Amino acid sequence: MDVTANISLGDPLEAARKATAEMLQTRERTYSLPQPFYNDERLFQIDMQEIFQKEWLIAGMTCEIPKKGNYLTLQIGNNPVLVVRGADNTINAFHNVCRHRGSRLCTGEKGKVAKLVCPYHQWTYELDGRLLYAGTEMGEDFDMKKFNLKPINVKTAGGYIFISLAENPPAIDEFLATLHHYMEPYDMENTKVAVQTTLMEKANWKLVLENNRECYHCSGSHPELLNTLLEWDDTHDPRATQEFKDHVAESAAKWEAEKIPYLHAGFGLRNRIVRMPLLKGTVSMTMDGKQGCSKLMGRIQNPDLGSMRILHLPHSWNHAMGDHLIVFTVWPISAQETMVTTKWLVHKDAVEGVDYDVARLREVWDATNDQDRRLAEENQRGINSTAYQPGPYSKTYEFGVVNFIDWYSARMLANLGAEPAPYLREVQIQSN
């Protein structure tokens, strides 16, 4: 039976959920996903319900809300979210929804408030979510304690703010402890966002991630990036040369001497941290390979720290260098539209125009992001064709894509409450 055909116009969402599980259970592991995973709106809704509303997501950086009352907002599917720094330096997260009639509380992307006041009818909340004022109009028997803001799970580590909309999100503390250790040299509380960009891509979010998880396309598409980037994440990569392995060993000896964490740390297929050197003679992801910011981060003394690569599925990759950090997050908008945000962070005391130039800092990744956008959009256009059928991944060049799809398939089946596919049983264990 062709289970792909089960995703047809008019089917209720529950039938689509069943068909989604069947397709994942019967697909060929080393092939791309069936077409509906990339262009069907009902399957997109399932992605939002079972992945983006249940997994841990990076909401932002702690330095973006440095003081009491600072907040940031974001949108996860239909869910507006509010993250605010409260008393005692605590970071809280809530559904950005007033408990009166459901209006959004904070409408700006970022800001600073003394209290959280709904602009509709002025219901007022403390920064910890407690309802403080609803007006006498609600009557004498109105119990304000029953109408506090609805909280969202939130954790912080290494300057990152993680949130999960799930009631019981998956375990993440082991990864966060390691992230805290690896980010210690950067002193992330004393950083700032030098510049941020938002790119809209007319492609499914999984295509954006698949493109990121391989460098098979790099030599033909990313000349600016390859001025500094070495594509291998690990000396065990089957394509890694002896020259590359020697370069890693030489760099690691210097990092060891300076007590800079660098060893590969993996947490199933969801999270990975590893420091890899950049091309010899380069120290930062700029066009000429020289520092993008003259003031180094945290306690770092040596600009030649390569790039510490941080992966967080389902939606983020990062590059941490000695002079600046780049944070990428992917936010699904619809079945065939995705928003990619990029943030460049530097030392908080670095002065624009003196220590760094914004145009120079973002030049490489502006070009690379736009090149990746075009690739993903062309990928989407082809997949929409009646001629599309899943194609084989390269076991050497695209193993990172296979890992991402393995993780996605395992988490989707688990969150749907479906039986794991035989080919994913080991992956499922590693991903929980």
Side-chain angles (χ1 to χ4, degrees):
M1 179 181 71
D2 180 9
V3 294
T4 304
N6 287 347
I7 303 280
S8 60
L9 290 175
D11 276 346
L13 186 59
E14 200 54 44
R17 291 166 66 88
K18 182 179 179 181
T20 296
E22 290 177 359
M23 286 188 285
L24 291 176
Q25 289 163 337
T26 58
R27 64 176 287 269
E28 175 61 47
R29 180 190 176 211
T30 58
Y31 278 60
S32 58
L33 291 166
Q35 187 182 54
F37 285 91
Y38 300 115
N39 66 4
D40 187 90
E41 277 296 336
R42 279 152 308 154
L43 210 150
F44 171 76
Q45 293 301 323
I46 297 169
D47 272 354
M48 298 310 297
Q49 292 171 2
E50 305 302 333
I51 299 296
F52 279 83
Q53 291 181 28
K54 291 188 177 179
E55 302 298 326
W56 286 99
L57 306 173
I58 294 174
M61 310 300 291
T62 56
C63 69
E64 295 181 83
I65 48 173
K67 297 180 180 180
K68 179 182 176 181
N70 284 135
Y71 71 86
L72 60 85
T73 63
L74 60 151
Q75 187 79 19
I76 303 172
N78 292 326
N79 298 286
V81 172
L82 167 67
V83 182
V84 61
R85 192 178 289 264
D88 302 322
N89 214 31
T90 302
I91 292 180
N92 304 309
F94 305 102
H95 289 274
N96 189 14
V97 177
C98 182
R99 294 296 309 280
H100 178 207
R101 284 169 55 187
S103 179
R104 282 197 306 161
L105 283 171
C106 297
T107 57
E109 290 185 9
K110 295 178 183 178
K112 192 175 191 302
V113 294
K115 307 293 181 186
L116 299 167
V117 181
C118 180
Y120 200 177
H121 300 97
Q122 286 70 57
W123 278 33
T124 303
Y125 302 83
E126 185 54 89
L127 301 179
D128 61 8
R130 288 177 293 128
L131 179 60
L132 299 176
Y133 170 79
T136 57
E137 298 83 1
M138 300 308 297
E140 294 181 1
D141 59 346
F142 179 70
D143 187 354
M144 290 199 299
K145 294 180 181 178
K146 294 181 179 179
F147 295 92
N148 296 331
L149 293 180
K150 292 189 176 181
I152 291 172
N153 292 291
V154 60
K155 293 177 181 284
T156 61
Y160 290 81
I161 304 170
F162 293 84
I163 61 169
S164 175
L165 275 60
E167 289 187 15
N168 298 296
I172 196 174
D173 288 350
E174 184 182 2
F175 165 65
L176 296 186
T178 302
L179 179 64
H180 173 77
H181 171 65
Y182 274 64
M183 294 302 297
E184 176 274 325
Y186 296 87
D187 186 17
M188 292 299 294
E189 293 304 312
N190 287 304
T191 62
K192 66 180 179 182
V193 176
V195 62
Q196 173 178 338
T197 63
T198 299
L199 187 66
M200 301 303 297
E201 304 191 13
K202 294 180 180 179
N204 184 271
W205 72 273
K206 292 185 290 297
L207 293 180
V208 177
L209 262 293
E210 287 189 37
N211 177 74
N212 172 261
R213 300 318 311 139
E214 50 92 354
C215 217
Y216 192 11
H217 68 278
C218 287
S219 61
S221 301
H222 296 320
E224 296 86 358
L225 183 62
L226 293 184
N227 284 338
T228 57
L229 181 72
L230 292 168
E231 63 179 274
W232 305 293
D233 281 349
D234 198 305
T235 54
H236 298 299
D237 189 306
R239 300 161 298 141
T241 64
Q242 188 59 48
E243 181 182 10
F244 168 72
K245 294 177 181 179
D246 292 343
H247 182 30
V248 171
E250 180 183 343
S251 299
K254 296 178 182 177
W255 300 334
E256 185 80 35
E258 298 180 37
K259 297 182 179 180
I260 301 293
Y262 64 90
L263 292 175
H264 187 288
F267 302 84
L269 299 177
R270 180 180 62 185
N271 294 111
R272 183 213 65 208
I273 309 175
V274 62
R275 188 180 301 280
M276 284 285 114
L278 295 172
L279 195 67
K280 278 192 174 182
T282 67
V283 299
S284 192
M285 288 182 174
T286 56
M287 288 296 285
D288 60 8
K290 297 178 181 179
Q291 285 178 231
C293 181
S294 61
K295 190 170 185 61
L296 298 180
M297 303 181 78
R299 66 172 176 85
I300 295 167
Q301 300 296 317
N302 174 17
D304 191 8
L305 292 190
S307 167
M308 186 169 74
R309 307 174 187 186
I310 304 167
L311 172 69
H312 176 67
L313 297 180
H315 81 138
S316 180
W317 62 92
N318 306 255
H319 288 282
M321 291 152 284
D323 65 326
H324 72 282
L325 167 72
I326 315 174
V327 179
F328 306 85
T329 49
V330 170
W331 302 98
I333 303 299
S334 67
Q336 299 185 49
E337 187 177 19
T338 303
M339 181 173 74
V340 178
T341 64
T342 308
K343 299 174 183 178
W344 288 261
L345 284 82
V346 298
H347 193 290
K348 74 172 184 180
D349 294 333
V351 178
E352 182 179 350
V354 177
D355 298 303
Y356 65 94
D357 175 74
V358 166
R360 183 169 174 270
L361 198 65
R362 56 184 281 187
E363 187 175 12
V364 168
W365 276 104
D366 271 357
T368 303
N369 283 344
D370 193 57
Q371 292 152 2
D372 282 334
R373 175 191 61 78
R374 293 198 299 270
L375 292 170
E377 291 181 349
E378 290 302 325
N379 198 178
Q380 183 72 65
R381 291 187 181 101
I383 283 175
N384 288 343
S385 168
T386 57
Y388 170 78
Q389 63 184 61
Y393 295 125
S394 165
K395 294 179 182 179
T396 51
Y397 281 81
E398 295 173 303
F399 66 90
V401 184
V402 175
N403 287 346
F404 163 58
I405 297 299
D406 278 351
W407 177 87
Y408 167 80
S409 301
R411 296 309 297 152
M412 178 65 85
L413 286 168
N415 290 342
L416 284 170
E419 288 293 320
Y423 68 90
L424 287 175
R425 281 174 183 155
E426 183 178 351
V427 174
Q428 175 111 352
I429 293 170
Q430 292 174 341
S431 299
N432 284 336

